[in-house]
Amino acid sequence: MKKRVLACLLAAVMTAGLLAGCGGGEKSGGGGSSEQVLNISTNSVVVGLNPLVNTTAPDNIAHNMIYDPLIRDRSAKDNTDEIVPAAAESWDVSEDGLTYTFHMNPDAKWSDGSKVTANDFEFTFKQMADPNTAATNAWLFDGVIVNFSEALYNNGKTPDEIGVKALDEETLEIQLVHPASYFLQLVAGSAYPVNQAKYEEYGSEYGTAPDKTVYNGPLKVTSWNQNTEMVLEKNDQYWGQEDMQLDKVNYKVIQESSTAVQAFINGELDVVSTSDTNWGKTITAAGDSQEMTVPSSAPDFFMFNLKNEYLSNTKIRQALSIAFDRQEMVDTLRDGMSVPIYSMMPDTMKVGDKTYTELVDGKNYFVTQMQEEYTDPKALLQEGLAELGKSTDPSQMTIRYASRGTSELSKKIGEWMKQVWEEKLGIYVQIDMMEWNIMWDKIDAGDYDIACGGWGPYYNEPSALLQPFEPVNGYFNADKTGWNNEDSQKFTELLNQAKDVVDDKEKAEIYLQAEQLVVGNALIAPMYLEASPTYVKNHVKNYYVTTNGLVDFSQVSVEN
């Protein structure tokens, strides 16, 4: 589960930090015409091309280029995203929201010339549900697709019994346990297909080399040196290849961000993301790129361990949450490269077609509401101490803060929070500096008072950020948070209730009640969303940076 958190956070950082460059107008072999070549880079290697088991952030970027899921959730202008057809040309949803029927694109082919069929996707989902596959994204469909959980955990069902069936080569039917407005996003980002015939032929070697992989997306891999570079070229069997302008992508491994930024400044790269304001000023002064700054979808937050006697009290936790100014925090510590948050939900989070914030009329800004209601956080803390039968002298209260790593930023956050909490509340804060992995080991063991956490949602719907706090099965379960009381029981009931609700506003209101228990009652204290600017060279077109959605490389072009 810890790997899930790391993968989530890496995915958020790596997607925003995707680095791209122009190939300088490489010439093709025919007629002297100019090829459109894009160079993109990552700071880590692509582990493999098998979408069932290789799901690191660099892997996912590669999969987005070489595979067509049933549909795409692609980035668009002005920090928006859109669901568009891919391997399926259309889809239907039953009135009760429980049955999705996908109609396959008749022109979709694999790179070996064979037809992409509904059977390939049935095979892919059944492989994911097979515990022997150890598919890393399988948990996303746990409790969503009929019988998927039972098959995945050997609980009375087999992969052949899950609710995914090819009615014929052109039609795929998927049955859900409960309505899920985010299901299309799950399908778009977490269910890249494998070619059944070649998967069975290559076995464990599938996806380990260009010639051990079959592609149905815009690009195919032509060469790959894992530590240095992957070269991809237009897939001539891709159904939309005639409308593509991009001919080639060089996917390079550049570990140092400063090296990538310097390459961008030198004209070797087209896109770079940096949180260094000095680099940003240099890039802006050159005038040959546009800046795109959007917040991530992954909130950073302080998490409180209710096993601590002081932190078992709601008012004490609320006092800790409202005692610090989030805008001042990001201005001081993040140099403006983050957006303060007063809800655990980004403003881009949706329930159906509308944002969660819009559906609940902004009532999700629980931190703001608490700060307006409790203008003196120290007095609120003292009320909590009195409820515990403790001395109301805050100086007798000591709280440990576990840092998230030993980087300069982690040190600054720890020191700043110690100063704020001690000045505003009068308590004593003990900073325990430790490496990132050590902190998570302590969280796993419940050995902390306050720690700095974060979560990157796999889909854009409130349950993606609420479910991790489910006290039994969530990542931040009661063993880690100590949250095992009436509030946590009510929280579980609300999440289960929301699953069966189809009306978007009604569902959002249920999520609001659940978030009240997590943020309003201060199980966590939201801090900020990362928002590092990305700079895109002017000659790169249709390359959009968004909070949700992935770059559609079939639409990108490079003007030579």
Side-chain angles (χ1 to χ4, degrees), residues 310-431:
Y310 291 114
L311 299 179
S312 67
N313 182 271
T314 299
K315 290 182 178 178
I316 291 177
R317 298 194 308 273
Q318 289 174 325
L320 288 161
S321 179
I322 65 176
F324 66 101
D325 185 319
R326 284 148 175 84
Q327 186 64 60
E328 182 182 351
M329 181 187 203
V330 301
D331 290 343
T332 303
L333 302 175
R334 301 295 298 146
D335 205 11
M337 299 298 179
S338 298
V339 176
I341 51 174
Y342 305 90
S343 162
M344 70 187 296
M345 302 296 171
D347 285 342
T348 52
M349 185 66 75
K350 289 185 175 182
V351 180
D353 295 329
K354 294 184 178 180
T355 66
Y356 167 68
T357 301
E358 178 185 359
L359 287 169
V360 299
D361 300 319
K363 295 177 183 177
N364 58 310
Y365 297 133
F366 292 107
V367 175
T368 303
Q369 295 167 23
M370 286 190 290
Q371 289 174 330
E372 292 174 350
E373 180 178 357
Y374 305 113
T375 56
D376 186 350
K378 185 175 182 178
L380 181 63
L381 177 106
Q382 290 174 315
E383 288 183 25
L385 290 171
E387 288 180 355
L388 292 173
K390 300 284 188 181
S391 166
T392 55
D393 178 5
S395 66
Q396 297 185 28
M397 174 178 164
T398 297
I399 291 291
R400 298 176 300 158
Y401 170 74
S403 73
R404 186 168 64 180
T406 57
S407 67
E408 191 63 28
L409 175 61
S410 293
K411 292 177 182 177
K412 288 181 178 179
I413 290 177
E415 292 167 357
W416 193 82
M417 292 307 305
K418 174 181 172 67
Q419 180 179 347
V420 169
W421 278 329
E422 290 184 349
E423 288 182 356
K424 294 287 184 68
L425 302 176
I427 65 176
Y428 176 72
V429 178
Q430 174 185 318
I431 301 178

Side-chain angles (χ1 to χ4, degrees), residues 442-475:
K442 285 187 173 293
I443 289 176
D444 288 344
D447 180 18
Y448 71 99
D449 295 338
I450 302 176
C452 185
W455 187 265
Y458 275 82
Y459 52 90
N460 189 36
E461 205 256 8
S463 62
L465 286 174
L466 291 169
Q467 193 280 331
F469 295 96
E470 203 282 321
V472 176
N473 297 315
Y475 177 76

